[in-house]
Structures are given as C-alpha cells and as structure tokens.
Amino acid sequence: MGVCDAIRHNAPVGKPNAMSAPHLPKLSGINPPIPVSTQTSVPPPDVPGSLLQDRLAGWVSELTTLQELTESLARTSTLDSALHELLGAGAALVGARRGLLVLEPGDAGGPSRTVGLGLTHAELGHIETVPRRATAHGRFLDGLPDTGGPQASPDILGDPGLDPRSREVALRLGYAACYAQPLTTPAAGRLGVAVWLYDEPAEPLERQRHLVGLYGRHASQHLVRLLELERARADAAVIREELLPARLPPVPGVRLAVRHRTTPRGGGDWYDALPLPDNALGLSVGSVNGSGPSALAAVGRLRAALRAYAVLEGEDPVAVLSDLELLVRLTADPAGSATALYAYCEPGHRTILLAGAGHAPPLVTGDLRTEFVETSLSAPLGMLSCWEAPSVEFSPLSGETVLLYTDGLLRRTGGPTDHAFARLRAAAAGVPRALRLDPGAVADHVLGAVLPGGPEREDGPEDVVVLAVRFD
C-alpha cells in the first residue's frame, strides 16, 4: 500500500475539509506513490492516528529530499560535476559515506571516468586492481548474467567465495559491505554504475533502495544529455585542432609561441604562421562571429583562403586582405563578418608590414618600450562593399616581442575597451626580465595577468589567441 492508498484508506466519510486534506509534493519526472517495504507497512485502521501521521510525514519528507536532490543534479552543467553530485546524493539516500562511480558507456563512444567519494586517488587505484569479475560493478560493466539490477553485498568479508584480492583491498581500505546501482536508460543502454561502501556489514533498507533507484533513473537521463554535450565538444575540439597549424614553423631570426584558449562550444578565433620565399614569414590572426560548427567551418574557409593569397601576394598585406574581403562578399559567407590581421615579416631585416580588417593593433614589448603599433582604422571583412586600408610598417628592436592577439583577450577582461587595452599594456610591461627571452613565457604572463580566473579557465565567454613573435 502506498502513501496515496494510505490516505484514501483512512479518509473520513463525507466531504473533506479543503484546508486539512493532505497533499503530497509533486515531483518532476517522479511518480509520488512509492511501494512501501514490510518494515514500513501502513498500520491497520485501529492504529492511533498520530502514528499514522508520523509515518506519512516520514514518507513526505523522503519524497521532498528526493526532489531537492534531483533539482540539485539538474543544475549541474558538466559531466564531472554531475558525476560527483550523483555519487554524493546516492550516498545520502543509502546511508553510506564512501563510494565510487564508474562511467563506461556501453556504446564504447566514451568518455570513460572513475570518480570517488571519500576515497583518494590511490585508494581508487587499489579498487581497480581487483579483477572485474570479482566486483558487482565490474560484472555489470562486463554484461555478465544476472547483473542487470542493483547488487547488494551486505557482508563482503564473510563471503566464503570472495576473491583473495577483493578481501585484501577491503581490509586495506576498511569497508565491509557495498551496494551497486547500475545507471542505464532504455534508449542509451548502459552508462555506468555507482557503488557505495559501508564500514560495517550492512545493506540499505527496501525504501532506501527504492528511493535511490528513482534517483538513479532520473540521474541517468541527465547523464545522457551531458554525455551528448561532452562528445559534441570533443568532436569540435578535434575539428578545431585540425583547422589550426599542427606546429609553428622554425624561421631563422625569430622565435614563435602561441596560446589558444577556447570556449566549451568552440569559437571562431584562429591564427597562422606561414613560411614564405626569401626567409620571410606570413603571420595572421583573426576571428569570425559566433561559435560552434558554423564558426569552425568559416574559420577553415578563411584561413585556407588567406594562406593561398599570402603565397600569391604575401608582400602586400593590403592586397591579401582585399582578396579575402572579395571572397567573403562573393561567397556570402555565413560568418557574416570577420576580423583579420595579416603581417608580412622579414626577420633578417627586423621589419613587419601589416594590415588589419577591424582587428586590434599588435603590441610591441621589450626592455625599453611597451606600446601598441599605430594602425589605421578599418572595417571588418564583409562589412563594406569594397575594403581597402593602408598598410603600416614598423621595425621591432632586437630582443623585443610582438604580440598578435584576438579581440577575445580584451573582451574577457569584462571592462570597457580602453581599460582592457590599458590592462593588456600593463601586463606586457610587467613581464619579468628573465621571462622576456622566451615568447611562450611572455604570452603566459600576459594571459595570467589579463584574464579573470586565470588562463586555464575553461568556461570563458570568448575564444582567445595570443601569437608571440620574439626577434633575436
């Protein structure tokens, strides 16, 4: 008999009072009536009403707790955070304080993860040394018979058929019982399994099993959505890496380094370094509107076209960008508009000739100066019926580093544009003298000083590219 059945069984004859009639919480995706174990069966009608009310209050409290846990899980937006949330909530429902969760999708599409609760990385490693066939979660992951549902091991050390390695690890880590809850959905199949560990021989009550089962089904659906998102991000990352140079070319007279930080969805910032005849070097950075697959496709088209134009007429940056502008207009590129900066560099003469289309100016930094290169104002590609802006030539000094960067570096500061430029200049001027010999160290210092949350923050709103060129 469930909660609703108990209410109906003990309902008074006649029309109930609307204010005093019991109401159960409505849970999203969860059916309120739950089966009750023999330990919590509804008493007969002659049981005092106060006891029945206490039982009903306990069931309502459990349902409310379940709702709160599912809402907390729904707020997680990354796979790792969801796994940790699921493991902790399940431990609360079954009365355990330690556990582990193994994510191993049955379609072999990855990703595979193992996270722990109250277990160190080394302790998780000890558990992984136990043969899979000797553990409840391993048998489920391997698809062995009779492993499709929850598995309780109430007295691990008292099991006469226990694998010797299982006994050794249990004694070493100090657990005596476990409860395994498979994570599956009808559509996706096997996702993984959560295991909770008890310090003493024990197993969850029937009502605890039912609650964690409800929670596990809801959690599995949430994990499927996050898995799809994680896989899409991984695919976008692979495509993005294929669209950018695998390595920067070695060119006498300069040393190159690049730092590329992307948004989870994959943005449209790009860079390139192309060796040209006579030991010259073509350098470019740029960005397209938007993010995701369409932005990545636009990046591939623009970068490939700019490379071709640089080979044909690389000594004239204005001609290179004019050709790129014409291509954008004639092909009706879905990027809509894009910014780009192209620089023709002759390291032997320490000269750079550059032109920009709606792009931020380079920054030159060294022991004697830190200043922005004065470039002419120009519209982004695709914004005008005809684009042309004069080029600018400048000569870096020996030992100076030129920073080419995308607008995302400025926008990630979160402040007005003039403040962002000032912050960038101050960061470059503050590079310690010992770090100035390495362009990569210069780029790392600038990113660490400019970006809120540090350069490794992965949830930033903008892509960032910093291409550092140090002249010997």
Side-chain angles (χ1 to χ4, degrees):
M1 181 181 297
V3 176
C4 294
D5 295 328
I7 293 173
R8 286 193 295 268
H9 184 78
N10 294 278
V13 178
K15 184 177 181 180
N17 187 312
M19 295 298 292
S20 61
H23 296 276
L24 294 179
K26 184 178 180 181
L27 307 182
S28 176
I30 298 175
N31 189 12
I34 62 174
V36 183
S37 68
T38 55
Q39 293 93 332
T40 57
S41 59
V42 177
D46 58 348
V47 173
S50 60
L51 179 58
L52 177 60
Q53 290 181 357
D54 289 343
R55 296 280 178 85
L56 291 174
W59 297 329
V60 171
S61 176
E62 289 174 347
L63 288 172
T64 302
T65 299
L66 185 60
Q67 181 180 18
E68 293 173 350
L69 293 176
T70 55
E71 289 177 348
S72 179
L73 178 67
R75 288 192 291 269
T76 59
S77 58
T78 65
L79 191 58
D80 285 338
S81 62
L83 295 177
H84 285 285
E85 177 70 25
L86 191 164
L87 192 56
L93 290 174
V94 301
R97 67 182 185 89
R98 291 188 294 172
L100 68 150
L101 192 155
V102 181
L103 181 71
E104 193 175 298
D107 61 3
S112 296
R113 307 272 173 81
T114 299
V115 300
L117 172 69
L119 296 171
T120 66
H121 183 73
E123 289 172 332
L124 286 174
H126 285 306
I127 293 176
E128 290 178 350
T129 64
V130 178
R132 285 169 67 107
R133 66 182 184 279
T135 64
H137 65 276
R139 291 193 298 272
F140 167 74
L141 293 174
D142 287 343
L144 298 181
D146 302 325
T147 60
Q151 300 288 320
S153 300
D155 187 5
I156 293 177
L157 298 179
D159 182 0
L162 186 65
D163 180 88
R165 182 57 183 166
S166 296
R167 183 182 304 277
E168 179 183 345
V169 171
L171 288 171
R172 184 186 186 99
L173 302 187
Y175 62 85
C178 69
Y179 184 74
Q181 174 67 49
L183 302 172
T184 65
T185 69
R190 187 195 77 204
L191 300 175
V193 59
V195 184
W196 294 282
L197 306 175
Y198 298 89
D199 297 341
E200 303 291 339
E203 63 180 308
L205 300 174
E206 184 64 29
R207 60 181 179 80
Q208 292 175 312
R209 297 188 185 198
H210 186 71
L211 288 173
V212 79
L214 287 174
Y215 180 78
R217 288 195 290 274
H218 173 84
S220 296
Q221 295 289 348
H222 186 60
L223 288 181
V224 168
R225 293 189 289 269
L226 294 179
L227 266 174
E228 293 174 352
L229 181 60
E230 183 95 353
R231 289 173 176 179
R233 289 174 176 172
D235 292 342
V238 171
I239 296 173
R240 184 168 54 246
E241 293 303 319
E242 292 295 327
L243 292 175
L244 299 176
R247 63 183 183 88
L248 297 175
V251 177
V254 295
R255 281 186 286 167
L256 305 174
V258 68
R259 298 295 183 265
H260 187 199
R261 302 290 180 262
T262 61
T263 63
R265 291 190 60 199
D269 285 12
W270 53 275
Y271 65 92
D272 205 352
L274 179 65
L276 296 173
D278 301 325
N279 291 324
L281 180 66
L283 301 171
S284 61
V285 292
S287 61
V288 301
N289 290 339
S291 60
S294 60
L296 293 176
V299 165
R301 289 191 295 271
L302 290 177
R303 177 174 169 265
L306 192 145
R307 276 198 152 210
Y309 299 145
V311 171
L312 293 174
E313 44 194 0
E315 297 182 15
D316 187 352
V318 171
V320 171
L321 293 186
S322 295
D323 291 344
L324 197 61
E325 162 68 22
L326 180 61
L327 176 70
V328 170
R329 287 192 289 109
L330 293 180
T331 58
D333 197 299
S337 66
T339 68
L341 185 146
Y342 174 72
Y344 179 77
C345 173
E346 293 183 292
H349 298 91
R350 285 207 300 273
T351 60
I352 294 179
L353 186 65
L354 66 87
H359 206 83
L363 179 64
V364 183
T365 181
D367 294 336
L368 301 179
R369 62 172 176 170
T370 297
E371 59 189 27
F372 291 100
V373 178
E374 293 187 7
T375 57
S376 57
L377 295 176
S378 61
L381 299 171
M383 297 294 290
L384 300 177
S385 59
C386 180
W387 179 91
E388 184 170 332
S391 59
V392 174
E393 183 175 359
F394 68 100
S395 298
L397 301 176
S398 177
E400 288 187 328
T401 299
V402 179
L403 298 177
L404 311 180
Y405 53 92
T406 55
D407 292 341
L409 180 63
L410 303 173
R411 289 194 289 266
R412 272 212 196 185
T413 64
T417 302
D418 55 341
H419 291 176
F421 276 115
R423 186 170 180 174
L424 174 58
R425 184 181 183 279
V431 176
R433 188 182 185 90
L435 299 181
R436 292 187 177 275
L437 299 175
D438 180 6
V442 173
D444 288 335
H445 180 89
V446 168
L447 285 173
V450 171
L451 298 184
E456 300 304 325
R457 180 179 173 183
E458 296 182 352
D459 59 344
E462 301 280 351
D463 269 21
V464 172
V465 167
V466 175
L467 180 60
V469 188
R470 186 185 188 278
F471 287 80
D472 295 334

